[in-house]
Amino acid sequence: MSKSRLEAFSDGVIAIIITIMVLELKLPQGHNLESLIPMWPVFASYVMSFVYVGIYWNNHHHLLHAIKSVNGAILWANMHLLFWLSLVPFVTNWMGESHFYEIWPVVLYGFILLMNAIAYTILAVLLVRHEGEDSLLANAIGNDWKGRISLACYFVAIGLAWVSTYLSLALYVLVACIWFIPDRRIERKLATEHVKP
């Protein structure tokens, strides 16, 4: 099957997710700069989630750019990823409204990030299997150390929430920093393929 409908649908869903997140930002109670101060946790949650959704969109784009076609299993794996991404606005708002003090909003935020990472990994594995072990995508992804480190950080961060929610947040930010720079492995492989005679 052609990958174009999958790309278009995914882009649309991710755009809606970002729109929902920004609509969850409430207006301040006053009309001066001081009225923004109590809102900093909500805005910080929004920024972190916006970065995460942007990272997923960017890497999803790279994955699909490196393949030629999709099958039914890939369509469902993509829907699985979009399902977990669609829950990001809910946990973002809950965590921000709790001002990072409450354990369960921070834990659930980490759980949703973990499930997104697992869903993305499943999608990548199915894409590699579909394209073949010697495909451009398989060679580009390699052993995926960033993915494994991310999963470990999420597990640790969820457990640390009972010690300090700020330690959990620090690990969530660390994972975002690891992935913030777009994954150059696929770009390099694509550039190499275009240079070949």
Side-chain angles (χ1 to χ4, degrees), residues 52 56 80-81 84 110-125 143-159 171-172 174-176 178-179:
Y52 263 108
Y56 275 103
H80 180 229
L81 173 61
W84 291 109
F111 176 75
I112 296 301
L113 293 180
L114 173 65
M115 294 309 296
N116 272 292
I118 290 170
Y120 181 84
T121 302
I122 292 169
L123 177 61
V125 166
N143 64 10
D144 193 26
W145 62 270
K146 287 167 72 169
R148 287 200 298 275
I149 289 173
S150 301
L151 290 171
C153 285
Y154 292 140
F155 276 113
V156 172
I158 290 168
L171 281 174
Y172 300 154
L174 174 65
V175 174
I178 290 170
W179 285 96

Side-chain angles (χ1 to χ4, degrees), residues 15 20 47 61 68 70 80 104 106-108 117 130 134 159 167 179 184:
I20 291 169
V47 170
H61 167 74
K68 299 180 180 71
V70 296
H80 180 229
W104 283 108
V106 174
V107 166
L108 189 59
H130 178 67
D134 295 325
L167 289 175
W179 285 96
R184 301 284 184 219

Side-chain angles (χ1 to χ4, degrees), residues 16-179:
I16 291 168
I17 289 167
I18 289 173
T19 303
I20 291 169
M21 282 195 314
V22 77
L23 290 176
E24 289 292 328
L25 293 175
K26 308 287 189 294
L27 289 174
Q29 295 300 313
H31 295 84
N32 52 33
L33 291 177
E34 287 77 23
S35 62
L36 293 173
I37 294 170
M39 297 183 63
W40 78 264
V42 175
F43 186 70
S45 294
Y46 167 77
V47 170
M48 184 162 58
S49 293
F50 186 91
V51 168
Y52 263 108
V53 173
I55 288 166
Y56 275 103
W57 177 81
N58 196 324
N59 286 293
H60 187 269
H61 167 74
H62 280 91
L63 276 182
L64 295 182
H65 192 68
I67 63 168
K68 299 180 180 71
S69 64
V70 296
N71 60 23
I74 291 167
L75 293 177
W76 280 112
N78 193 68
M79 288 298 290
H80 180 229
L81 173 61
L82 293 176
F83 169 77
W84 291 109
L85 279 172
S86 72
L87 292 174
V88 169
F90 167 71
V91 291
T92 299
N93 193 37
W94 196 31
M95 186 173 71
E97 291 291 334
S98 77
H99 288 223
F100 310 124
Y101 297 134
E102 301 298 327
I103 293 170
W104 283 108
V106 174
V107 166
L108 189 59
Y109 187 84
F111 176 75
I112 296 301
L113 293 180
L114 173 65
M115 294 309 296
N116 272 292
I118 290 170
Y120 181 84
T121 302
I122 292 169
L123 177 61
V125 166
L126 289 176
L127 286 168
V128 168
R129 188 178 299 160
H130 178 67
E131 291 288 303
E133 294 299 326
D134 295 325
S135 66
L136 181 137
L137 181 62
N139 290 322
I141 291 176
N143 64 10
D144 193 26
W145 62 270
K146 287 167 72 169
R148 287 200 298 275
I149 289 173
S150 301
L151 290 171
C153 285
Y154 292 140
F155 276 113
V156 172
I158 290 168
L160 278 177
W162 278 272
V163 177
S164 167
T165 54
Y166 287 99
L167 289 175
S168 299
L169 291 171
L171 281 174
Y172 300 154
V173 170
L174 174 65
V175 174
C177 290
I178 290 170
W179 285 96

